[in-house]
Amino acid sequence: MAALRSLVLAAAVLSCLTLFSAFVPAPRVSAPVAGTATLSAAALLAPAAAQAADGDAVWIPALSAVGAGFAIGLAAIGSGVGQGIASGRCIDGISRQPEVADDLRGVLLLSLAFMESLTIYGLVIALVLLFANPLIK
């Protein structure tokens, strides 16, 4: 079933490419590039390769764990860098104008809460990939 769905989606993408090629002129290439076509076909057929031959989906849980690791890792790194930059700028602002320390502190705490919420979204995505994955039957 998954292989049939992948083939139908691949055919739909390839047919859309032929429709849109009428509107945008293709660049002139002196020699045909077979590597690009091979990579495109492999990328379109990759969901079918994720299913094992006997029906057991062994790749989906493994790649979901890798995706969960990337989701929480990138969310934590991005949020940590953003919070560090924001805190440093706030300390610079307070050191230059101590009379606006209360205003800057309130804005800093609000912005830190928003940055931390993005990390929590990454955690939610990681937990969904690990425990409530819609790709696993």
Side-chain angles (χ1 to χ4, degrees):
M1 182 68 175
L4 177 65
R5 183 179 57 205
S6 295
L7 290 175
V8 169
L9 290 175
V13 167
L14 292 175
S15 66
C16 287
L17 290 176
T18 58
L19 287 175
F20 290 127
S21 65
F23 300 110
V24 178
R28 300 291 175 195
V29 179
S30 61
V33 180
T36 306
T38 305
L39 284 176
S40 299
L44 289 173
L45 298 175
Q51 301 289 333
D54 59 352
D56 293 333
V58 294
W59 284 102
I60 292 177
L63 293 177
S64 294
V66 171
F70 277 124
I72 194 63
L74 292 176
I77 289 171
S79 179
V81 169
Q83 287 178 355
I85 291 171
S87 299
R89 301 292 176 170
C90 182
I91 291 172
D92 288 341
I94 290 173
S95 66
R96 289 184 186 150
Q97 293 181 337
E99 62 272 7
V100 294
D102 292 333
D103 294 335
L104 286 177
R105 191 176 301 118
V107 171
L108 173 70
L109 291 177
L110 184 63
S111 64
L112 290 177
F114 285 136
M115 286 183 235
E116 194 63 33
S117 70
L118 294 175
T119 305
I120 293 171
Y121 290 150
L123 175 66
V124 168
I125 290 171
L127 291 175
V128 165
L129 284 175
L130 290 177
F131 299 113
N133 196 338
L135 300 174
I136 299 174
K137 297 175 186 172

